[in-house]
Amino acid sequence: MPHHGNEADHSPSNEGERDEREGTGQQKPVIRDNRKVDPETGAARHSQGSAAGSNDAAGSHAPTADALSQAEEILNGVEVPAEESVASGASAAAEAAELRNDLLRLQAEYVNYRKRVERDRAVAGEMAVIGVLNSLLPVLDDVDAARQHGDLADGPFAAIATKLESALKTYGLERIAETGVEFDPTIHEALIQQPGEDLEVDTVSQVLRSGYRSGDRVLRAAQVIVAVPA
C-alpha cells in the first residue's frame, strides 16, 4: 500500500505512541505566543484576554451607566409646573383668609355674648330692685293715709316715714300724685268721671291713691277722678 506524506507519521512507533496517548487521555500541549511585540512586524500586540476583559467590563458597567443616566434625566425632567405653584400659593392664602374670618367671627360672637351677659345682669338687678319696691308700696300707702289724717305731722314716726321715702327715691322710685294735669291712661286709672268747667281736655281733678314708677317702668297707676269738658 503506497504511503503519502512523511513516513515518520505512519511509522509503527509513532502510531503506537499516538494510540497510547489517546488511550491514556493525554493531549498534546498547546504553546501560545504571549509576546507583546510581533517579532516579524515589530508592532504591539493586544491580547484577546485584555480586549475581552475590557469588553466584559464595559458590558458590566453599561447597564449601570444607562440606569444612572436615565435616573438623572428623569430627575432633571421633573419640575413643578408654574400653575401648580401658583395654585398652592393661592390655596395657602385662601386657608389663611378663612382662618382669619373664623377668628373674627369668634371674636364677634364673644363680644356679643359679653354684651348679652351684661345686659341680662343689669335686667336681673333692675328686676330685683323693682320687686323690693313693689313689696314696699303697701307700706307707702299706709304712710300716705296717716299723713292725710294728720298722724305724721310731727314726732318720731314722721321722721321715719321721711327717711324711708328718701331712701326709696335713691332707687329711682317716683310718686304719681299730681292734680290738674292732663289725664294719661298709661299712668292714670280713672275711677270716676265728672264734668268740669273751662276744660278742653280730660284733666285729673283728684288722686284717690298715689301711683309709683321707677324710671320708665310704671309700678302702679294712680287711681284718680277725671274732669271731662262739659
Side-chain angles (χ1 to χ4, degrees):
M1 181 175 181
H3 296 280
H4 301 281
N6 191 358
E7 292 294 337
D9 294 336
H10 298 280
S11 61
S13 60
N14 292 335
E15 291 179 359
E17 292 177 0
R18 184 171 60 251
D19 293 339
E20 183 179 358
R21 287 195 301 268
E22 291 177 357
T24 58
Q26 295 180 355
Q27 295 182 356
K28 185 179 179 179
V30 179
I31 300 174
R32 297 179 178 177
D33 189 359
N34 294 329
R35 288 176 294 182
K36 297 182 178 181
V37 179
D38 191 346
E40 296 180 358
T41 61
R45 291 178 176 177
H46 297 284
S47 61
Q48 295 179 356
S50 62
S54 62
N55 292 333
D56 294 340
S60 61
H61 291 289
T64 305
D66 293 340
L68 292 176
S69 61
Q70 291 177 3
E72 185 177 359
E73 291 179 359
I74 292 174
L75 292 176
N76 292 332
V78 174
E79 295 180 357
V80 178
E83 296 180 355
E84 294 184 1
S85 300
V86 173
S88 61
S91 177
E95 184 177 359
E98 184 178 358
L99 292 176
R100 182 175 180 275
N101 292 333
D102 292 341
L103 179 61
L104 293 176
R105 184 170 58 256
L106 290 176
Q107 184 178 4
E109 291 179 356
Y110 172 73
V111 171
N112 293 333
Y113 169 76
R114 185 176 62 184
K115 290 181 179 179
R116 185 170 61 254
V117 169
E118 293 177 355
R119 184 174 61 252
D120 294 343
R121 185 180 302 170
V123 171
E126 183 180 356
M127 294 302 297
V129 172
I130 290 175
V132 173
L133 295 177
N134 284 326
S135 64
L136 293 176
L137 292 183
V139 178
L140 296 177
D141 292 339
D142 294 339
V143 171
D144 287 340
R147 185 177 289 114
Q148 290 176 3
H149 288 83
D151 296 337
L152 295 178
D154 195 3
F157 290 104
I160 293 174
T162 302
K163 289 181 179 179
L164 177 61
E165 292 174 347
S166 299
L168 294 178
K169 285 181 180 180
T170 60
Y171 290 95
L173 184 65
E174 298 180 4
R175 184 190 298 270
I176 304 174
E178 296 180 354
T179 59
V181 297
E182 183 179 357
F183 174 79
D184 186 356
T186 60
I187 61 175
H188 298 139
E189 181 183 357
L191 298 181
I192 301 173
Q193 289 184 354
Q194 59 186 11
E197 296 180 357
D198 300 332
L199 296 177
E200 295 181 358
V201 294
D202 296 343
T203 304
V204 176
S205 60
Q206 184 179 355
V207 177
L208 302 177
R209 189 181 70 173
S210 299
Y212 294 94
R213 63 185 173 188
S214 177
D216 297 334
R217 183 187 295 271
V218 178
L219 303 181
R220 190 179 70 184
Q223 295 178 351
V224 298
I225 297 175
V226 179
V228 296

